[in-house]
C-alpha cells in the first residue's frame, strides 16, 4: 500500500509535467495505472463517422427501391442470421436522416462516410431507369450535411448488389464491370457537384470471400473459384470507373476517388522464418490481392498469390489457374487508379504456416495456407473476431507505407462492438488506444489524412444481426422511433474531434 501511495504521488507530479511524451505504465503489483499524456493530431487532420446503406437505412421496399442481395438473402434464410433479423427497418435512417445529421453535428465531425444504395437509385440495376425518390433522398441527405459543414464521403458499393444483377451472375459476370461504370457515371452526374470524395468499393475481400465462399449474401459456395472471379471483376470495375471519372468528371468537379480495403494486422506467431513468411503471405492474400494491382508500381496480383494459386490449381488438375489473368491493358488501367487508399482496420491475428495440405477442393484459405489465431489474453469485445490490439494498427500502417510507397491513406473504418448500454468504457479505451497508435504511425511518417469511426449508430451487423453494437450512439430497436442515445464514447470522441487532441487521462485507476 505504501508503495502504491508513493507511485500515486510520483504520478501526480509526473503526469502533470508530461505534456509532449506519452507514457503507458502499469504496475501490476500495486494495480496502479499511470495515464497517458495529451497528444494532438495535425490541424488539417479530419475526423468522421461511418455507416452503410443496408445496415442503417431500412425502408427496404419504400418509394421504388428494389430488392438487393441482402434483402433476398435475409428474407430467404432468416435462420442464417444470428438473431434471425434483417435490415428491413434497421435504424430507419431513410426517415430519420435529419436526426442523424444532428447527432453528427453534436459530435462535431468534419465528414460523414455513408454508402448509397444501388437498388434505391437504379431499381432495375441498370441505368435505364433512375428512381426519382432515391435521388431525392440522397440529395436531401447531402444538402443537410452541407448545411452543417459536414463533407459527404460516399461509398458507391457497400455490399448491397441489386438482386436483378445477381441473377445475371453478380460479381462473377465480367459484364458487371460495365454495369458498375454506368451506375458510377449516374452518381457523378447526379451528385458530382455536391460530393468531393468517393469510394468505389467497401472491402472487396469481405464480400468476395464471404459472399462467394462463406456465409454472407448472396450465399455462394464456391471458395477459391467464384471468390477470385469476383475479385477480378471488382478490380476491373474499379479501374474502369476511375478512368471514366478522370476523362469525364475529374477536371470539372475537382473530386477524388479511392477504394476501401480492410487489413487486420498479421503478426508472425513466432520469430521463425516460416511464420514470418506466413504472415507476409497472409497480408498479400487479404490485402495485396486488391492493393497490389492498384497501388504497387508494377500492378497485377501479388507474386505469392500468383505462384501459390497457379501451383495448387495445377496439382488439382485444373488446366488453368483458378486466379484469372489480367490483360496487359487491364494491368495498366488498374495501376494507379486511386487518389487515396481507404483503410479499414479493427484487429490483429497471429499467423503461422498452416499444417493442412490443400486437397482437391478449391479454397481461398487453403490457397493462402496460413493458420490465423488470436492470443487468448488479448482483450475481448462483443465480436468473436475482434480483439483489442492497438499496436497492430501502427504496424499495419507502417507495412502499408513500406509496401506501397507511402500512399495517401484515409482510415475509413475503425471501431469496436460493446454490450448494450450507454456506459461503454471499453469503446472509450479502444478509441483512445487506437488513436494513439495511429498518431505513432503518423510520427513514423505514414501519410494519413483522416480517421473515420465505425459507427455513428448501432446498426444491422450483417450475419450477427443486431446482437453486435458498434455505435457511438445506442439505438433502441424496441422503440417506434428507434431512439438514439449518446454513449460515453460519443462525448469522448467529440472531445477529440473538436480539439484534434487525445486528452490526457488525468484519472488514476486502481484495479479492484
Ligand atoms: C466491416 N475482420 O467489416 C464492414 O465494412 C462493416 O460493414 C461492418 O459493420 C464492420 O466492419 C464491423 O464488422 C469487417 O474480420 C468484417 O477483420 C470483418 C473484419 C473486418 C471488417
Amino acid at each position: 500500500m505504501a508503495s502504491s501511495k508513493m507511485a500515486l504521488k510520483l504520478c501526480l507530479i509526473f503526469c502533470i509535467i508530461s505534456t509532449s511524451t506519452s507514457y503507458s505504465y502499469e504496475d501490476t503489483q500495486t494495480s496502479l495505472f499511470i495515464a497517458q499524456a495529451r497528444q494532438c493530431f495535425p490541424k488539417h487532420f479530419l475526423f468522421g463517422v461511418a455507416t452503410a446503406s443496408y445496415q442503417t437505412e431500412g425502408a427496404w421496399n419504400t418509394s421504388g427501391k428494389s430488392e438487393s442481395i441482402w434483402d433476398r438473402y435475409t428474407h430467404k434464410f432468416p435462420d442464417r442470421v444470428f438473431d434471425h433479423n434483417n435490415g428491413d427497418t434497421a435504424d430507419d435512417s431513410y426517415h430519420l436522416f435529419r436526426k442523424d445529421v444532428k447527432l453528427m453535428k453534436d459530435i462535431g465531425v468534419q465528414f460523414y462516410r455513408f454508402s448509397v444504395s444501388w437498388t434505391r437509385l437504379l431499381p432495375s440495376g441498370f441505368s435505364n431507369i433512375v428512381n426519382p425518390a432515391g435521388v431525392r433522398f440522397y440529395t436531401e441527405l447531402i444538402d443537410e450535411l452541407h448545411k452543417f459543414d459536414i463533407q459527404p464521403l460516399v461509398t458507391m458499393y457497400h455490399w448491397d448488389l441489386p438482386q436483378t444483377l445477381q441473377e445475371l451472375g453478380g460479381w462473377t459476370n465480367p459484364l458487371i464491370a460495365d454495369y458498375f461504370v454506368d451506375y458510377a457515371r449516374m452518381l457523378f452526374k447526379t451528385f458530382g457537384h455536391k460530393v468531393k470524395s468517393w469510394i468505389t468499393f467497401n472491402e472487396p475481400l469481405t464480400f468476395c470471400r464471404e459472399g462467394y465462399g462463406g456465409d454472407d449474401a448472396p450465399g455462394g459456395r464456391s471458395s477459391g473459384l467464384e471468390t477470385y472471379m469476383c475479385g477480378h471483376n471488382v478490380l476491373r470495375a474499379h479501374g474502369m470507373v476511375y478512368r471514366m471519372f478522370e476523362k469525364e468528371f475529374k477536371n470539372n468537379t475537382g473530386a477524388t476517388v479511392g477504394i476501401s480495403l480492410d487489413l487486420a494486422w498479421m503478426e508472425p506467431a513466432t520469430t521463425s522464418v516460416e511464420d514470418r513468411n506466413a504472415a507476409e503471405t497472409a497480408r498479400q492474400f487479404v490485402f495485396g490481392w486488391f492493393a497490389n494491382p492498384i497501388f504497387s508500381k508494377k500492378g497485377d496480383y501479388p507474386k505469392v498469390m500468383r505462384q501459390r494459386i497457379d501451383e495448387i490449381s495445377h496439382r488439382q488438375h485444373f488446366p488453368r489457374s483458378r486466379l484469372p489473368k489480367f490483360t496487359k491493358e487491364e494491368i495498366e488501367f488498374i495501376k494507379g487508379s486511386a487518389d487515396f487508399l481507404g483503410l479499414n482496420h479493427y484487429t490483429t491475428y497471429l499467423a503461422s504456416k498452416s499444417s493442412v495440405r490443400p486437397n482437391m477442393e478449391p479454397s481461398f484459405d487453403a490457397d493462402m495456407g496460413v493458420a490465423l489465431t488470436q492470443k487468448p489474453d488479448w482483450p475481448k469485445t462483443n465480436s468473436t473476431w475482434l480483439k483489442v490490439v492497438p499496436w497492430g494498427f501502427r504496424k499495419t500502417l507502417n507495412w502499408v507505407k513500406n509496401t506501397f510507397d507511402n500512399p495517401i491513406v484515409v482510415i475509413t473504418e475503425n471501431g469496436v462492438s460493446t454490450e448494450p448500454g450507454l456506459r461503454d468504457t471499453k469503446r472509450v479505451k479502444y478509441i483512445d488506444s487506437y488513436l494513439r497508435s495511429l498518431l505513432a504511425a503518423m510520427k513514423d511518417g505514414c501519410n494519413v489524412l483522416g480517421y473515420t469511426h465505425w459507427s455513428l449508430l448501432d446498426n444491422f451487423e450483417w450475419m450477427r444481426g443486431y446482437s453486435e453494437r458498434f455505435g457511438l450512439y445506442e439505438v433502441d430497436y424496441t422503440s417506434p422511433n428507434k431512439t438514439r442515445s449518446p454513449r460515453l464514447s460519443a462525448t469522448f470522441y467529440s472531445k477529440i474531434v473538436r480539439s484534434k487532441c487525445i486528452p490526457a487521462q488525468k484519472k488514476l485507476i486502481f484495479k479492484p
Side-chain angles (χ1 to χ4, degrees), residues 19-263:
T19 48
S20 56
T21 336
S22 82
Y23 302 89
S24 178
Y25 166 81
E26 182 184 334
D27 181 341
T28 43
Q29 265 186 341
T30 58
S31 299
L32 170 71
F33 291 79
I34 294 182
Q36 310 221 40
R38 175 180 155 100
Q39 284 186 299
C40 297
F41 287 84
K43 285 276 164 296
H44 59 264
F45 193 82
L46 303 171
F47 287 97
V49 284
T51 64
S53 48
Y54 185 71
Q55 298 182 270
T56 51
E57 280 179 14
W60 77 280
N61 60 357
T62 303
S63 305
K65 182 186 168 296
S66 71
E67 196 186 19
S68 79
I69 55 171
W70 276 93
D71 295 318
R72 173 68 63 93
Y73 192 63
T74 53
H75 292 157
K76 198 167 166 196
F77 304 109
D79 294 354
R80 290 194 193 169
V81 181
F82 178 75
D83 58 4
H84 301 190
N85 237 311
N86 56 51
D88 284 5
T89 323
D91 296 341
D92 201 19
S93 288
Y94 182 72
H95 296 108
L96 301 173
F97 72 93
R98 284 180 211 280
K99 274 198 181 158
D100 293 346
V101 176
K102 167 83 174 41
L103 304 182
M104 290 174 228
K105 186 187 159 269
D106 290 349
I107 296 179
V109 288
Q110 286 96 41
F111 68 93
Y112 177 39
R113 175 180 178 228
F114 63 96
S115 77
V116 283
S117 150
W118 193 334
T119 53
R120 200 179 290 293
L121 288 162
L122 305 179
S124 70
F126 298 102
S127 59
N128 59 334
I129 305 165
V130 180
N131 177 22
V135 172
R136 196 178 324 123
F137 169 64
Y138 291 116
T139 306
E140 284 177 9
L141 168 60
I142 293 166
D143 287 348
E144 189 74 7
L145 289 167
H146 282 307
K147 211 160 95 186
F148 296 106
D149 246 345
I150 301 169
Q151 296 304 316
L153 169 56
V154 180
T155 310
M156 300 176 179
Y157 186 80
H158 201 123
W159 311 357
D160 42 358
L161 188 75
Q163 182 62 32
T164 51
L165 298 185
Q166 187 56 46
E167 253 118 73
L168 301 175
W171 290 107
T172 65
N173 175 358
L175 288 175
I176 192 136
D178 295 320
Y179 310 152
F180 188 72
V181 170
D182 298 341
Y183 168 51
R185 182 181 284 111
M186 178 263 158
L187 292 172
F188 290 137
K189 271 193 186 154
T190 314
F191 306 109
H193 54 301
K194 297 180 180 197
V195 174
K196 296 295 163 225
S197 318
W198 298 88
I199 289 164
T200 52
F201 291 100
N202 179 66
E203 297 188 0
L205 168 76
T206 312
F207 73 80
C208 288
R209 186 186 185 182
E210 301 305 320
Y212 290 97
D215 290 332
D216 288 7
R221 295 281 152 95
S222 175
S223 180
L225 275 165
E226 288 184 331
T227 320
Y228 300 131
M229 293 159 77
C230 171
H232 201 66
N233 292 324
V234 164
L235 281 160
R236 290 176 51 250
H238 169 85
M240 283 160 67
V241 164
Y242 189 80
R243 299 306 164 200
M244 176 272 284
F245 162 75
E246 264 185 335
K247 216 164 125 204
E248 300 175 29
F249 299 98
K250 195 167 188 168
N251 290 340
N252 307 339
T253 57
T256 54
V257 173
I259 184 167
S260 284
L261 306 177
D262 55 311
L263 179 58

Side-chain angles (χ1 to χ4, degrees), residues 51-52 55 113 158-159 202-203 205-206 209-210 216 262-264 344-349 383 385-386 413 415-417 454-455 459-462 468 470:
T51 64
Q55 298 182 270
R113 175 180 178 228
H158 201 123
W159 311 357
N202 179 66
E203 297 188 0
L205 168 76
T206 312
R209 186 186 185 182
E210 301 305 320
D216 288 7
D262 55 311
L263 179 58
N344 296 357
H345 175 83
Y346 289 87
T347 194
T348 288
Y349 291 94
S383 305
W385 58 273
L386 208 174
E413 281 182 35
V416 67
S417 62
W454 181 274
S455 175
N459 56 54
F460 182 73
E461 181 53 25
W462 310 109
E468 293 183 12
F470 279 82

